[in-house]
């Protein structure tokens, strides 16, 4: 029993240090978009959609597209979260059953 518990604890420790894919490799969010609430960002997206773009020059349209992309990426970075793998969850449940 002691050997089994040692193996399970070792496996649990190994699962804790599984590398998690980070968003660091993605493009940084443009600094032209201020960090604001999600509601303000959605209001800005609505304003951009409703704009009359027929009279704009190509660089102005491009700037709007870039701003729109930056706004769409920003809410994803606001709310992080904790993720646990299926194997880690299963191991946690097994350890709780054994210890309790």
């Amino acid at each position: 029993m002691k050997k089994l518990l040692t193996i399970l604890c070792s496996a649990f420790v190994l699962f804790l240090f599984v590398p998690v894919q980070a968003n660091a490799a993605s493009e940084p969010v443009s600094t032209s978009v201020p960090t604001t609430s999600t509601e303000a960002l959605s209001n800005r997206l609505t304003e951009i959609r409703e704009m009359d773009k027929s009279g704009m020059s190509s660089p102005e349209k491009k700037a709007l597209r870039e701003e729109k992309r930056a706004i769409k990426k920003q809410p994803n970075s606001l709310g992080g979260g904790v993720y646990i793998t299926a194997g880690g969850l299963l191991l946690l449940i097994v350890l709780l059953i054994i210890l309790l």
Side-chain angles (χ1 to χ4, degrees):
M1 183 70 182
K2 187 175 181 182
K3 187 176 183 178
L4 178 65
L5 186 61
T6 305
I7 292 171
L8 286 176
C9 287
S10 300
F12 181 70
V13 169
L14 289 174
F15 277 114
L16 285 176
F17 296 108
V18 173
V20 179
Q21 184 177 3
N23 288 334
S26 65
E27 296 178 11
V29 177
S30 174
T31 56
S32 64
V33 179
T35 306
T36 56
S37 68
T38 307
E39 185 178 345
L41 294 176
S42 62
N43 288 341
R44 179 63 182 148
L45 280 175
T46 306
E47 288 176 10
I48 291 174
R49 279 190 212 111
E50 293 174 353
M51 281 183 177
D52 182 25
K53 299 175 192 96
S54 61
M56 292 183 166
S57 65
S58 179
E60 291 173 334
K61 289 180 186 179
K62 184 177 180 182
L64 278 178
R65 279 194 305 269
E66 289 174 0
E67 182 181 359
K68 189 174 173 182
R69 287 182 191 137
I71 290 173
K72 284 186 177 184
K73 286 181 185 179
Q74 193 167 358
N76 294 337
S77 64
L78 290 178
V82 177
Y83 298 99
I84 185 166
T85 62
L89 181 62
L90 181 65
L91 188 62
L92 183 64
I93 291 171
V94 168
L95 283 175
L96 286 174
I97 290 172
I98 290 173
L99 295 174
L100 298 176

